């Protein structure tokens, strides 16, 4: 019996486990941000790591593992929504859970930021999330999204500009108050 395959399998498993332990939290954080649901994020992360194990031999450099995992995660998230069929719920039966954590102003600010980010077109939202949540550089984001580095940097700049405009724009009631004060 040849002992080489056992050693190779052990080395492969150890390398995989090292990558999982190094990047699990980052992958989960990104999955949670995408789904805003802990159970779905856990399922998504589990499927991501299963697919990563199956194609682990295709990973050529361990330094590219994080970007590789995020790419698998994004694709798995897209696959999940291709087959997702929402369950319709009667609004009278639904109840809203309150988030007791943090101050009300902080919760509102977080909600406004989250809504503003979700309101961005995916061309701007995806690179921004990969940079902010994933901690990737412009070059890494370009590789993940199959884009030119300059395109990624432009989209990041525009995403921040759009967020700034959205979050600092005056509401109609503020504008009318300002006009009345100036008269």
């Amino acid at each position: 019996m040849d002992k080489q395959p056992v050693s190779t399998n052990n080395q492969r498993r150890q390398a995989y486990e090292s990558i999982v332990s190094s990047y699990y939290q980052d992958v989960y954080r990104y999955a949670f941000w995408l789904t805003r649901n802990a159970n779905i994020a856990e399922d998504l992360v589990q499927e991501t790591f299963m697919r990563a194990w199956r194609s682990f031999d295709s990973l050529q450099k361990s330094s590219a593992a994080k970007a590789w995992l995020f790419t698998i995660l994004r694709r798995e998230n897209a696959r999940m929504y291709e087959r997702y069929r929402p369950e319709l719920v009667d609004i009278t039966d639904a109840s809203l859970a309150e988030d007791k954590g943090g101050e009300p102003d902080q919760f509102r600010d977080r909600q406004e930021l989250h809504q503003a980010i979700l309101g961005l077109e995916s061309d701007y939202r995806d690179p921004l999330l990969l940079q902010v949540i994933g901690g990737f550089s412009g070059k890494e984001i370009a590789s993940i999204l199959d884009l030119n580095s300059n395109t990624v940097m432009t989209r990041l700049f525009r995403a921040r500009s759009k967020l700034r405009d959205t979050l600092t724009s005056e509401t109609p009631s503020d504008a009318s108050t300002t006009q009345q004060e100036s008269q």
Side-chain angles (χ1 to χ4, degrees):
M1 185 178 212
D2 189 16
K3 293 186 179 187
Q4 185 62 21
V6 173
S7 175
T8 303
N9 285 337
N10 284 338
Q11 290 172 343
R12 181 179 188 250
R13 184 179 49 78
Q14 288 173 345
Y16 173 78
E17 288 175 357
S18 173
I19 287 172
V20 170
S21 65
S22 296
Y23 299 116
Y24 181 85
Q25 292 300 320
D26 292 334
V27 171
Y28 177 79
R29 187 174 28 254
Y30 185 53
F32 183 78
W33 211 100
L34 288 173
T35 64
R36 300 311 272 178
N37 181 304
N39 293 328
I40 294 173
E42 288 171 6
D43 290 346
L44 192 57
V45 169
Q46 181 179 8
E47 188 63 31
T48 298
F49 282 113
M50 281 183 11
R51 286 187 183 273
W53 172 252
R54 286 185 206 132
S55 61
F56 190 67
D57 293 331
S58 69
L59 179 63
Q60 295 173 359
K61 297 181 195 174
S62 60
S63 61
K66 186 175 178 182
W68 180 65
L69 289 169
F70 272 55
T71 300
I72 294 170
L73 176 77
R74 289 181 66 248
R75 290 180 181 156
E76 192 54 37
N77 186 47
R79 266 189 219 100
M80 183 177 69
Y81 283 104
E82 285 175 357
R83 59 184 182 253
Y84 174 72
R85 300 290 181 247
E87 189 177 311
L88 298 177
V89 177
D90 186 7
I91 191 85
T92 58
D93 295 337
S95 64
L96 298 175
E98 289 188 35
D99 181 11
K100 302 290 184 188
E103 295 293 319
D105 287 344
Q106 290 174 338
F107 178 73
R108 188 186 75 229
D109 291 346
R110 235 178 324 150
Q111 284 296 105
E112 287 175 3
L113 178 60
H114 183 74
Q115 291 302 319
I117 291 172
L118 288 177
L120 291 172
E121 301 96 43
S122 65
D123 286 349
Y124 300 117
R125 182 181 56 241
D126 292 346
L128 183 66
L129 290 177
L130 287 170
Q131 185 182 52
V132 173
I133 306 277
F136 290 105
S137 69
K139 185 177 178 183
E140 292 169 323
I141 294 168
S143 174
I144 292 169
L145 298 177
D146 293 326
L147 297 171
N148 179 305
S149 291
N150 292 334
T151 303
V152 168
M153 298 312 288
T154 300
R155 288 182 181 181
L156 286 169
F157 176 79
R158 289 180 181 165
R160 285 190 192 91
S161 296
K162 288 176 181 266
L163 278 178
R164 189 178 312 110
D165 292 345
T166 300
L167 295 173
T168 59
S169 66
E170 290 185 327
T171 61
S173 61
D174 291 342
S176 63
T177 304
T178 305
Q179 287 177 349
Q180 289 174 355
E181 290 173 356
S182 65
Q183 291 177 356

